[in-house]
Amino acid sequence: MSASPKIDLHTHSRESDGTQSPIELMAAAADAGVTALALTDHDSTAGWAAAAQNLHGVTLIPGIELSTRHRQMSVHILGYLFDPTDAELVAETLRIRSSRANRAQQIVSRLAVDYDLQWDDVLAQTVAGSTIGRPHIADAMIARGIFLDRAQAFESVLHWRSGYVHPHYAPEPLRGIELLVAAGGVPVLAHPATRGRDHVISEDALATLVDAGLFGLEIEHRLNTAEGITRLRELAKKYGLHTFGSSDYHGSGKPNQLGENTTAPDVLHAMLERSTGTEPVWA
Ligand code: AMP
Ligand code: ZN
Ligand code: FE
Ligand code: FE
């Protein structure tokens, strides 16, 4: 008897702001009964190789969560099964990661005026070459005893209105989708209806992204609002987009649990048919 599929296509490792190594993540996925897992670190593919060599019986879908921005609003785009050596995509993710590192240093120098915190404290919370973000600053402040958890840090000094934080470089969503498609990948809008946004992405903007090759919407995600989910389902139907459900697991950095939302097997199959950039690593 084969296990029923449990497909979770949005997770993070220590190569970005997850708290587990890619190997630990694959083991945790196996423990949670996940049968296919996408590793989607922010702006990085650095974890693919270690995960691929340590499947723990879980099929690996190589992926990324690309940072983009439209009119001051951060838009995350999940990309799957693209060629990780594509020169333009590599150059763009490098540019984002280096801007993230500069921005984090600037945030820390502002924080250092008011808190006992240094850049080395943040570096101590990261692995070499990983994508740096506010969660690592949070971890450094937790280690210093300033906050109890990441959520507390995000509610105060790491909030975008705190005065300490400014954005990093990010391309437009359209450019992000074009890059992923050109690299043979499959782009999906991550958590498009989170609380605090005025509205779900405008229909005009969505139509433009669909024309560029947008494949799906991440609908079942704990941060999408109930009203937003209803609207996303209508939009998915109207534009022929596939619907995804995922955990956005970050290890102990967030309460999200592996497999808390899942994607249907036929969506994964459609994704395999669309992609030309790289193959899954079958368990
Ligand atoms: P940044 O990439 O520096 O803009 O930071 C955003 C990242 O922080 C996102 O990937 C989220 O996963 C994470 N994040 C945002 N809010 C919280 C929170 N309240 N607790 C833990 N992590 C968070
Ligand atoms: Zn994250
Ligand atoms: Fe995200
Ligand atoms: Fe994420």
Side-chain angles (χ1 to χ4, degrees):
M1 234 170 59
S2 67
S4 62
K6 194 172 182 182
I7 302 167
D8 188 344
L9 300 178
H10 184 169
T11 69
H12 298 269
S13 78
R14 269 208 291 267
E15 292 299 336
S16 62
D17 54 6
T19 59
Q20 292 169 309
S21 70
I23 299 171
E24 291 164 344
L25 173 62
M26 296 309 286
D31 286 346
V34 169
T35 55
L37 184 94
L39 174 59
T40 55
D41 276 311
H42 300 282
D43 310 310
S44 173
T45 61
W48 288 14
Q53 284 153 25
N54 297 272
L55 294 177
H56 291 86
V58 179
T59 291
L60 174 70
I61 309 298
I64 197 167
E65 186 174 11
L66 193 65
S67 304
T68 73
R69 191 174 304 109
H70 184 65
R71 296 188 183 149
Q72 329 267 31
M73 194 170 74
S74 159
V75 177
H76 286 178
I77 299 172
L78 293 159
Y80 300 107
L81 300 168
F82 56 88
D83 174 4
T85 68
D86 180 88
E88 283 200 55
L89 189 58
V90 166
E92 192 67 16
T93 51
L94 202 60
R95 184 173 173 196
I96 299 169
R97 286 205 307 280
S98 93
S99 168
R100 280 173 157 284
N102 288 332
R103 168 228 199 195
Q105 274 178 281
Q106 287 161 358
I107 294 173
V108 169
S109 34
R110 284 185 210 116
L111 285 168
V113 176
D114 301 324
Y115 295 91
D116 186 10
L117 183 73
Q118 289 171 358
W119 181 239
D120 278 351
D121 297 322
V122 176
L123 282 185
Q125 300 298 327
T126 67
V127 298
S130 64
T131 303
I132 296 187
R134 283 174 286 170
H136 303 103
I137 302 175
D139 291 348
M141 297 183 87
I142 294 163
R144 283 267 178 196
I146 302 165
F147 295 112
L148 286 174
D149 56 27
R150 286 183 179 181
Q152 216 179 49
F154 269 92
E155 279 157 25
S156 67
V157 297
L158 296 180
H159 194 276
W160 63 272
R161 278 188 308 224
S162 68
Y164 294 106
V165 171
H166 64 283
H168 56 76
Y169 163 77
E172 281 285 331
L174 179 59
R175 164 97 175 127
I177 285 175
E178 286 170 350
L179 282 168
L180 289 165
V181 169
V186 178
V188 173
L189 272 192
H191 45 74
T194 61
R195 208 173 295 283
R197 293 179 188 221
D198 302 320
H199 50 263
V200 174
I201 184 168
S202 82
E203 196 167 335
D204 282 355
L206 183 69
T208 306
L209 301 184
V210 171
D211 286 344
L214 182 67
F215 181 80
L217 301 175
E218 187 183 54
I219 295 188
E220 278 143 10
H221 181 290
R222 65 159 70 203
L223 292 185
N224 283 336
T225 64
E227 319 81 74
I229 285 174
T230 304
R231 177 72 180 138
L232 290 174
R233 288 199 191 291
E234 291 168 6
L235 290 169
K237 203 166 180 185
K238 180 166 176 184
Y239 289 92
L241 292 165
H242 293 278
T243 62
F244 289 69
S246 304
S247 67
D248 203 358
Y249 176 75
H250 280 71
S252 59
K254 279 188 165 186
N256 310 32
Q257 293 302 309
L258 282 165
E260 69 176 30
N261 294 300
T262 56
T263 295
D266 58 316
V267 174
L268 177 54
H269 291 144
M271 207 161 87
L272 298 180
E273 285 184 5
R274 173 73 65 89
S275 62
T276 56
T278 197
E279 292 289 322
V281 188
W282 298 102

